Amino acid sequence: RKEVEQDPGPFNVPEGATVAFNCTYSNSASQSFFWYRQDCRKEPKLLMSVYSSGNEDGRFTAQLNRASQYISLLIRDSKLSDSATYLCVVNQAGTALIFGKGTTLSVSS
Amino acid sequence: EAGVAQSPRYKIIEKRQSVAFWCNPISGHATLYWYQQILGQGPKLLIQFQNNGVVDDSQLPKDRFSAERLKGVDSTLKIQPAKLEDSAVYLCASSLVPDGGGYTFGSGTRLTVV
């Protein structure tokens, strides 16, 4: 079983749509959780951290359910510029980030 | 603030040849990572350094891959001999501390083994 599992997609949505990505992780000792964004042929960049209480950054909302070992990312009012691969990321104290395979989003006009 | 520098950007080699990649992290970042990203996959950790010491190299194929971070600053990753399945993007990242999302990635080196 992979440490971080994501639906690879692709998710093809029209502009203005709401889209949700899900992720599960296998190691209950995981302590920190993130969503990274990776544009085509570019390096990954931090999109947002994920907290147990849930957190929001503009059109983006991240949720964490530690009991179910489940992380989600919701994007509202999708823009063309949101087209990218979204990587679910976890780590334990002192260790390196562990990345999922990524979910590809394509937003069309 | 200067970012993480990597070179070369692209490299094409034949199988069984050797290749080396270079990374210069952000100044003051004690932790340095090398990740391998195969097309369609997420980045996979190869090795993690804390200053010039190795913290985790459990996923580094040590029969052909080696890495060093002399003086705790820049780092090199070497593959010898290369195999077709080593074709990937090799990403270097650095952070002040291992925890958290404060990783900065370089642009990567895209390796093609033919």
Side-chain angles (χ1 to χ4, degrees):
Chain A
R1 181 183 175 188
K2 292 192 181 298
E3 290 205 55
V4 181
E5 299 211 50
Q6 297 181 248
D7 180 346
F11 284 62
N12 298 302
V13 303
E15 277 187 290
T18 295
V19 61
F21 304 138
N22 303 317
C23 166
T24 58
Y25 60 96
S26 61
N27 192 332
S28 59
S30 298
Q31 295 186 344
S32 302
F33 309 89
F34 312 93
W35 285 99
Y36 272 66
R37 170 187 169 134
Q38 186 170 27
D39 292 303
C40 188
R41 302 179 78 86
K42 298 286 190 180
E43 70 274 21
K45 292 184 179 178
L46 177 65
L47 177 66
M48 60 195 302
S49 301
V50 187
Y51 304 114
S52 297
S53 54
N55 50 299
E56 188 173 305
D57 182 1
R59 298 180 293 106
F60 298 81
T61 301
Q63 298 271 354
L64 168 65
N65 184 321
R66 286 185 182 270
S68 302
Q69 297 182 197
Y70 171 93
I71 307 162
S72 66
L73 177 68
L74 182 76
I75 305 176
R76 291 181 300 279
D77 188 22
S78 298
K79 312 290 185 191
L80 294 175
S81 57
D82 294 333
S83 298
T85 296
Y86 292 83
L87 298 159
C88 179
V89 185
V90 305
N91 84 327
Q92 304 163 43
T95 67
L97 298 182
I98 300 169
F99 289 80
K101 287 181 64 172
T103 298
T104 300
L105 171 66
S106 178
V107 182
S108 56
S109 58
Chain B
E1 176 182 75
V4 175
Q6 286 190 249
S7 67
R9 287 296 308 274
Y10 305 93
K11 191 75 177 178
I12 301 175
I13 62 171
E14 295 183 349
K15 59 184 179 184
R16 292 188 289 274
Q17 285 188 323
S18 62
V19 64
F21 313 129
W22 175 82
C23 171
N24 188 266
I26 290 175
S27 178
H29 280 194
T31 315
L32 184 147
Y33 317 81
W34 283 101
Y35 282 84
Q36 179 194 57
Q37 187 171 24
I38 293 172
L39 187 64
Q41 304 286 322
K44 183 185 89 172
L45 179 72
L46 292 175
I47 190 165
Q48 175 185 351
F49 291 95
Q50 183 71 20
N51 297 307
N52 61 347
V54 175
V55 174
D56 182 358
D57 63 356
S58 58
Q59 298 188 88
L60 187 73
K62 298 181 187 64
D63 57 333
R64 298 184 300 106
F65 286 64
S66 65
E68 61 183 11
R69 191 184 183 197
L70 300 175
K71 301 179 183 178
V73 181
D74 55 352
S75 175
T76 56
L77 176 70
K78 296 179 182 177
I79 308 175
Q80 181 180 12
K83 293 186 175 181
L84 296 177
E85 59 261 36
D86 298 332
S87 294
V89 177
Y90 291 84
L91 293 161
C92 179
S94 70
S95 65
L96 274 172
V97 293
D99 302 350
Y103 283 39
T104 301
F105 282 87
S107 300
T109 296
R110 186 173 300 273
L111 174 68
T112 302
V113 183
V114 297

